[in-house]
Amino acid sequence: MTSFDLSRPLATGMAVYPGTEPVSVEPDATRASDGYRTTRLDLDSHAGTHVDAPAHLTDGPSLDEFPAERFRFAAVLADLRPLDAREPVSLDALRDALAVDPEEVDLVAVVTGWDRHWGDDRYFDHPYLTAEAAGWLADRDCDLGVDTVNPDPTPTERADGDEPDGFPVHERLFDADRLIVENLRGLDRLAERFELHAYPLRFEGADASPVRAVAYAGNGESR
């Protein structure tokens, strides 16, 4: 099996959702002064590549209420490229991009190509799913992965007045106890079918957690 790391490294000053406290990853003890090394991590639960639980926005379960195997997904790509900034992805577009019915897999990984804008303000003007597309996935008990900071539109000064308010994609998926993996990178390296492992930190009431997201594909199945 060939593995592909789809995660963003946690680092001081990394991109975070607008309004979120910045990430800090700094030495706390050093070998020179203390004889050992430790590192202090100050970060929001939604920092970097992370998985969202229904508890993020609803009365649904938190991450610690799911069994560990729930974070190992049989996944399929939905390559929507090319897409424009802040372009909505309709149900028809999503269906046309899929090689299999979502009922045959655990997770649909949406490829927008917007991971190439990481570290730039343009990253927050990403394409987004429509609520109808999210509802279609939820009806098929399918989780969602995205190479953006958000499957809903992220508010910026360039937002269009016709865009939906709030988090309708999150809500449609969370109402069905689905998970959302955000800030993936490098999905374009993968074949259509792969296995994704994205295990969260275990803490009580976890609404979200950074993950080390790793894709596994059989030899010769990557692009």
Side-chain angles (χ1 to χ4, degrees):
M1 297 287 283
T2 303
S3 64
F4 301 85
D5 193 338
L6 308 181
S7 314
R8 294 290 179 184
L10 294 173
T12 298
M14 70 188 299
V16 294
Y17 187 84
T20 303
E21 287 295 317
V23 172
S24 174
V25 181
E26 300 294 344
D28 197 41
T30 66
R31 291 180 61 192
S33 61
D34 304 288
Y36 56 89
R37 289 181 57 192
T38 64
T39 303
R40 182 173 182 82
L41 307 178
D42 288 311
L43 63 153
D44 188 88
S45 57
H46 297 258
T49 306
H50 65 276
V51 58
D52 282 359
H56 177 36
L57 292 175
T58 72
D59 292 330
S62 54
L63 293 177
D64 52 304
E65 296 180 73
F66 290 98
E69 58 266 22
R70 186 68 173 75
F71 305 99
R72 186 177 63 205
F73 311 90
V76 63
L77 291 181
D79 194 340
L80 279 301
R81 297 173 299 171
L83 290 167
D84 293 329
R86 310 195 74 89
E87 181 177 345
V89 174
S90 68
L91 172 56
D92 286 344
L94 180 62
R95 279 194 296 221
D96 289 347
L98 287 170
V100 301
D101 191 295
E103 291 181 344
E104 298 180 27
V105 296
D106 304 316
L107 178 143
V108 168
V110 172
V111 187
T112 69
W114 231 249
D115 54 337
R116 71 185 185 278
H117 297 300
W118 177 262
D120 189 286
D121 284 346
R122 185 172 170 82
Y123 187 65
F124 301 108
D125 289 313
H126 53 83
Y128 59 92
L129 266 66
T130 60
E132 183 184 21
W136 184 71
L137 292 176
D139 290 344
R140 284 152 180 78
D141 294 332
C142 196
D143 300 312
L144 175 66
V146 292
D147 59 0
T148 60
V149 70
N150 189 3
D152 289 294
T154 298
T156 74
E157 61 184 15
R158 294 166 293 279
D160 190 297
D162 294 332
E163 293 176 5
D165 294 325
F167 304 94
V169 171
H170 281 80
E171 290 167 354
R172 295 291 290 273
L173 289 163
F174 289 161
D175 284 344
D177 288 347
R178 297 296 95 197
L179 301 170
I180 304 173
V181 186
E182 299 174 344
N183 286 325
L184 292 167
R185 67 181 179 96
L187 290 172
D188 57 344
R189 296 175 291 168
L190 304 176
E192 286 179 335
R193 297 286 294 268
F194 60 99
E195 187 171 283
L196 174 65
H197 295 204
Y199 298 105
L201 299 173
R202 187 174 183 180
F203 60 97
E204 186 175 353
D207 55 275
S209 171
V211 298
R212 185 74 177 264
V214 179
Y216 294 90
N219 291 333
E221 290 186 8
S222 62
R223 293 179 182 177

